[in-house]
Amino acid sequence: MITVVPTSPFADQRPGTSGLRKRTPVFQQPHYLENFVQALLDEAALQPGQTLVVGGDGRFLNREAIGTIVRMAAANGITHVVVGRGGLLSTPAASHLIRQGAAGGIILSASHNPGGPDGDFGIKYNTGNGGPAPESFTNRVAERAAALTSYRVAELPAFDLDKLGEQPLGSLKLEVVDPVSAYAALMETLFDFGAIRALIAGGFRVRFDAMHAITGPYAVEILERRLGAPKGTVINGTPLPDFGGGHPDPNLTYAPELVNELFGDNAPDFGAASDGDGDRNMILGQRFFVTPSDSLAVLAANATLVPAYKSGLAGVARSMPTSMAVDAVAAKLGIPCYETPTGWKFFGNLLDAGRITLCGEESFGTGSNHVREKDGLWAVLFWLNVVAVRGESVEQIVRAHWAEYGRNYYTRYDYEGVPTEAANSVMAHLRAQLPELPGKELGGRMVKAADDFSYTDPIDGSVSAKQGIRLLFEDEARIVYRLSGTGTEGATIRVYMEMRSAEVNSLRTTEDPPVNGMATVALTIADLVSKTGMRQPTVIT
Ligand code: VG1
Ligand code: CO
């Protein structure tokens, strides 16, 4: 039986950088989730016979939300829903499953944001290519959600998300699949598992921190079972609804257990962590941190060492605030390097058109044409494959890279929980100065250009404006400012700073990197401290 439930529209259901993210209690309001799901399903307009993939990162509300989505899918005429067992799917694994022939997928996650009753929840739609729906789609969903007067939900026989196999539910076939196996099989086709297995068998010590988020079962299967790493290689490997109270964001601040071990005595050779939904990665060597921008550049430079990319790269792409380290690699390889706005959805068209093979973001995200999401464990395996072939440590590989391509020093300051008005006033103040900045000297550097980044997609011609304020200096240094599109409380201002240096290996890792000297200029131009009242950033990455 199908019920048509009256709902009052919600005006705040506009997806941001990666789906709709709100505080959990917002999603628990009556009709809130249903309203958005109806708008999504209306816009996706799946036909009978087409498949919808559904899964999430296991955070609080994941299972209930999936139950609701299955009932609504049935009521909206969808005939086949594929769900990861327990309602679990990492974001890259969901992308892969969608690409196996589904028309689209719904992913439940607020990614690196904390979970639980007081944490965040999120939902997004991926299209048949496996990638996040483009802005044109999400804008239409937001408009629908703000105008909806009812949604449809079916009463179904009881179903079990923990039971593998097919469950007929009237006109809907619910198929529960193992969340890991197809993804693990895909990884085996991309990388030289034999070489990595030999590396590990030879005593190379790996530690992987799943941060009590989705990658635990994936990492145990791939690293411990298929690659023979000792039991216990994966720590915090059980997904928990509140991520054990932690902040599942793999960086030097939020993964202290892993960082302390890798920077301590008797440190393992290799450390890595992933985020809530498994699409981010942090790579550490013994007492050595690889910045995400450097990681993308190193992987691009070494891609032909890996089976999947042995015939070379068609091109690469990075989000605008990501450091230009990969640009230097592309220039040397003679391949195009695209600069896109922040968010993985902007890579989709380039990947689909075969213009790029690898892409990445400074926010601990790296990926390739194997799926249409960034992929945390993929990056880990890529690194292990490169280490196995080169027979060098992570630090040696990165230092050799700097020596060959030069080094881009990079840092990002985040100011979180800023009142929206104050954040907007910082951006407005910067925008107002754009015409007069070029030609000025700031902190000993000449401003070459200043603009608000606008992107025209080379494949479909769509334009995305106001994607971040850029100050470009004559010596290739940059300062970038933008507001986050994933936060749920007030606004977050991100300030990105970058400079290139020929002095690549003289600095010790403990020394203050020269890029920190740019912060004074960055904060003064933005008048950030007096406008926000924040003397210190909340997080530095
Ligand atoms: C942040 C990152 C961006 C990333 C996005 C989603 O967005 O900066 O690079 O694509 O999160 O990542 P924003 O708008 O807050 O800067 V995930 O792992 O949260 O899906
Ligand atoms: Co994520």
Side-chain angles (χ1 to χ4, degrees):
M1 209 188 68
I2 292 169
T3 316
V4 178
V5 184
T7 168
S8 43
F10 292 91
D12 66 342
Q13 296 193 326
R14 185 165 292 274
T17 311
S18 180
L20 182 70
R21 290 191 193 170
K22 300 282 174 193
R23 309 270 303 156
T24 305
V26 173
F27 270 103
Q28 288 173 309
Q29 295 174 81
H31 312 308
Y32 192 88
L33 173 73
E34 290 87 343
N35 196 83
F36 187 72
V37 170
Q38 185 65 54
L40 266 186
L41 293 178
D42 284 346
E43 197 53 49
L46 261 62
Q47 300 303 307
Q50 290 190 311
T51 301
L52 180 74
V53 171
V54 183
D57 63 11
R59 71 180 61 217
F60 182 80
L61 223 62
N62 190 59
R63 201 177 265 270
E64 293 84 334
I66 290 178
T68 300
I69 291 167
V70 170
R71 281 184 279 273
M72 289 185 67
N76 282 278
I78 292 174
T79 53
H80 186 203
V81 171
V82 173
V83 183
R85 186 181 45 222
L88 299 179
L89 280 177
S90 77
T91 291
S95 180
H96 179 55
L97 272 187
I98 296 168
R99 291 167 63 74
Q100 306 293 94
I106 295 179
I107 301 179
L108 302 163
S109 171
S111 188
H112 56 287
N113 300 16
D118 303 321
D120 289 344
F121 192 75
I123 175 167
K124 70 172 180 172
Y125 186 75
N126 283 26
T127 48
N129 72 344
E135 271 186 333
S136 51
F137 181 100
T138 53
N139 287 340
R140 288 197 299 273
V141 170
E143 279 152 34
R144 258 180 206 279
L148 216 65
T149 53
S150 66
Y151 61 86
R152 296 158 70 79
V153 60
E155 216 169 273
L156 298 178
F159 51 90
D160 185 354
L161 293 179
D162 295 313
K163 200 174 117 207
L164 287 179
E166 291 181 2
Q167 301 171 45
L169 304 170
S171 58
L172 172 76
K173 182 173 75 187
L174 176 69
E175 187 181 347
V176 178
V177 299
D178 180 276
V180 177
S181 53
Y183 176 84
L186 172 66
M187 293 300 117
E188 292 218 39
T189 67
L190 302 175
F191 301 110
D192 186 345
F193 270 44
I196 303 174
R197 210 178 289 122
L199 174 77
I200 291 172
F204 186 84
R205 288 167 57 218
V206 176
R207 181 73 69 233
F208 182 87
D209 189 348
M211 305 188 84
H212 286 305
I214 190 70
T215 45
Y218 294 85
V220 168
E221 171 65 25
I222 294 171
L223 298 175
E224 296 186 6
R225 294 210 188 95
R226 300 197 184 198
L227 292 169
K231 273 209 167 59
T233 293
V234 178
I235 56 171
N236 302 318
T238 309
L240 297 175
D242 66 346
F243 308 118
H247 196 139
D249 198 355
N251 60 40
L252 294 177
T253 306
Y254 292 129
E257 188 179 345
L258 179 78
V259 171
N260 288 340
E261 188 179 1
L262 267 290
F263 282 84
D265 297 336
N266 192 27
D269 300 291
F270 184 89
S274 192
D275 71 331
D277 61 331
D279 57 0
R280 295 187 176 206
N281 73 89
M282 174 169 68
I283 302 293
L284 302 172
Q286 204 171 56
R287 288 179 281 282
F288 192 80
F289 167 63
V290 185
T291 73
S293 296
D294 278 347
S295 178
L296 173 63
V298 169
L299 296 184
N302 290 280
T304 53
L305 303 182
V306 164
Y309 314 106
K310 66 172 187 297
S311 53
L313 306 174
V316 291
R318 60 166 172 83
S319 65
M320 182 273 284
T322 303
S323 103
M324 292 161 75
V326 74
D327 300 39
V329 177
K332 195 154 190 174
L333 294 175
I335 57 172
C337 177
Y338 297 86
E339 185 175 40
T340 58
T342 294
W344 212 259
K345 56 179 175 264
F346 294 103
F347 295 132
N349 279 346
L350 295 168
L351 290 164
D352 286 349
R355 298 267 191 113
I356 60 169
T357 313
L358 296 189
C359 46
E361 298 191 276
E362 49 67 40
S363 53
F364 297 81
T366 336
S368 89
N369 58 358
H370 70 291
V371 289
R372 293 293 179 275
E373 291 278 4
K374 54 188 186 270
D375 190 344
L377 267 169
W378 166 89
V380 171
L381 295 169
F382 200 143
W383 264 99
L384 289 174
N385 199 151
V386 169
V387 168
V389 174
R390 289 183 60 129
E392 293 169 300
S393 73
V394 170
E395 176 167 356
Q396 283 168 335
I397 291 170
V398 175
R399 289 194 182 277
H401 185 92
W402 291 335
E404 184 169 355
Y405 296 96
R407 180 170 178 184
N408 290 58
Y409 289 96
Y410 188 83
T411 189
R412 182 179 108 181
Y413 286 14
D414 290 339
Y415 297 82
E416 295 176 355
V418 177
T420 307
E421 253 175 47
N424 288 338
S425 116
V426 167
M427 296 305 281
H429 179 60
L430 284 164
R431 254 177 215 120
Q433 296 175 74
L434 290 177
E436 69 216 36
L437 281 170
K440 267 200 180 161
E441 195 190 305
L442 301 176
R445 291 199 161 82
M446 286 295 277
V447 181
K448 190 171 68 179
D451 66 3
D452 197 343
F453 182 60
S454 175
Y455 177 68
T456 304
D457 186 297
I459 311 301
D460 67 16
S462 59
V463 176
S464 303
K466 292 195 168 184
Q467 296 296 320
I469 305 280
R470 306 191 290 182
L471 308 190
L472 310 173
F473 296 90
E474 276 179 352
D475 62 351
E476 287 188 64
R478 299 192 300 162
I479 301 174
V480 173
Y481 307 82
R482 57 178 286 281
L483 298 184
S484 156
T486 57
T488 56
E489 210 74 80
T492 293
I493 306 174
R494 304 203 197 283
V495 184
Y496 312 77
M497 292 160 272
E498 173 182 9
M499 58 172 280
R500 260 181 91 71
S501 174
E503 284 177 46
V504 287
N505 283 326
S506 58
L507 287 162
R508 303 183 65 80
T509 42
T510 48
E511 265 175 71
D512 203 20
V515 69
N516 288 352
M518 295 175 73
T520 315
V521 168
L523 301 186
T524 308
I525 294 293
D527 198 13
L528 193 141
V529 175
S530 72
K531 282 189 185 300
T532 65
M534 294 181 75
R535 311 207 135 267
Q536 296 298 330
T538 322
V539 184
I540 297 180
T541 46

